[in-house]
Amino acid sequence: MIDWLNALAGLLVGLVVGLTGVGGGSLMSPILILLFGIAPSTAIGTDLWFAAITKTVGGAVHHRNESVDFGVVRLLAIGSVPAALLTGLFLWHYNVERLSHAGTLSRVLGVVLILTSFATLMRVRLARWVTTLPVRSSPRFPVMKLAATIVAGAILGTLVTLTSVGAGALGATMLLLLYPKRLNLKKLVGTDITHAVPIALIGGVIHLIAGSVNFGLLGMLLVGSLPGIVIGSKLSAVVPERAIQPALALVLAFAGYKLLG
């Protein structure tokens, strides 16, 4: 029975991912922790492998459709890959299971979920505000943007390895703020998904070595999520994203609050 409930969780997350493009994947870890009582370390480790597998497939599709900006991916990776490795060493040194039992991982995940909720709700407004900033007309702005992209990658690499959350809505928001004209919606999603693959893999390997990955659970999540993504993608043509985003932001904020408590 529990196995099929796990598949149902995968179906729900896949459905939201298909509907929203980015952000829905942030639901997986809180669902596993809050609804199924899975230890935070196992939920995060398993979710990282779930993200690595599903985003590899998604990234391949976007690559085929030429909707990935590999120049931006490379800049992000300069920051994110070393940050993910250093965060992994931190988890290894301090023992990921001990951090899980102490509630550290849950609290960090709670904070990131609340930030993700804000990013989900305010992404477009923030992007409009950024385009009006005077600094964008400065001759030094291209160099500043390059450095900011590397820093954004480092932030994402750290957050994803620690919590499995951040590469979706937060990553997309950062890209939208940095490249509001260069990346259209398709390229924004494709670039974000493609960049998430290596950091999810690094985090997944760290958690695997630490013994905090449940492959039986992972299999059931994948079984549910694949049809969910297909159904969600089809529904996205008739259900406006504006109707989904506030509800998703509210759920993420509530989950973050519960994990902080």
Side-chain angles (χ1 to χ4, degrees):
M1 179 66 174
I2 292 295
D3 283 349
W4 289 108
L5 285 175
N6 291 334
L8 187 62
L11 178 68
L12 173 65
V13 171
L15 190 65
V16 179
V17 169
L19 277 167
T20 63
V22 293
S26 304
L27 287 170
M28 184 62 81
S29 286
I31 285 174
L32 294 177
I33 296 167
L34 295 173
L35 296 186
F36 296 112
I38 306 263
S41 56
T42 303
I44 290 167
T46 304
D47 187 23
L48 281 165
W49 279 100
F50 174 82
I53 293 167
T54 53
K55 291 189 179 195
T56 297
V57 175
V61 172
H62 280 283
H63 178 48
R64 245 193 341 263
N65 293 337
E66 299 183 346
S67 53
V68 180
D69 190 320
F70 283 101
V72 175
V73 170
R74 277 191 290 273
L75 284 173
L76 288 169
I78 289 170
S80 66
V81 170
L85 289 169
L86 287 172
T87 306
L89 286 173
F90 166 81
L91 291 173
W92 178 258
H93 179 73
Y94 286 99
N95 190 321
V96 66
E97 294 295 339
R98 190 173 68 195
L99 290 170
S100 177
H101 291 313
T104 305
L105 293 183
S106 293
R107 287 192 290 273
V108 175
L109 177 58
V111 171
V112 176
L113 285 172
I114 290 169
L115 288 173
T116 302
S117 167
F118 178 77
T120 300
L121 210 52
M122 302 298 291
R123 189 163 65 227
V124 175
R125 289 180 192 176
L126 285 171
R128 283 182 192 146
W129 171 71
V130 162
T131 57
T132 65
L133 292 177
V135 71
R136 299 189 76 88
S137 58
S138 166
R140 296 171 61 187
F141 182 68
V143 176
M144 292 165 62
K145 185 162 70 170
L146 186 147
T149 306
I150 294 171
V151 171
I155 293 168
L156 292 173
T158 302
L159 293 181
V160 171
T161 308
L162 266 180
T163 69
S164 77
V165 174
L170 280 179
T173 301
M174 288 178 179
L175 288 177
L176 199 55
L177 295 179
L178 289 164
Y179 300 97
K181 295 177 182 175
R182 175 168 168 173
L183 299 176
N184 58 31
L185 183 58
K186 254 188 183 179
K187 280 207 168 185
L188 177 77
V189 174
T191 302
D192 187 41
I193 287 174
T194 302
H195 168 251
V197 174
I199 51 177
L201 276 172
I202 291 168
V205 168
I206 296 292
H207 281 269
L208 178 62
I209 294 168
S212 53
V213 179
N214 184 327
F215 281 103
L217 170 61
L218 174 62
M220 294 309 294
L221 294 175
L222 288 169
V223 164
S225 70
L226 296 177
I229 290 170
V230 173
I231 295 166
S233 298
K234 291 184 181 299
L235 286 175
S236 66
V238 292
V239 179
E241 190 179 0
R242 282 175 300 179
I244 301 296
Q245 279 187 336
L248 175 60
L250 185 64
V251 170
L252 289 172
F254 179 73
Y257 165 76
K258 292 293 286 181
L259 286 166
L260 285 172

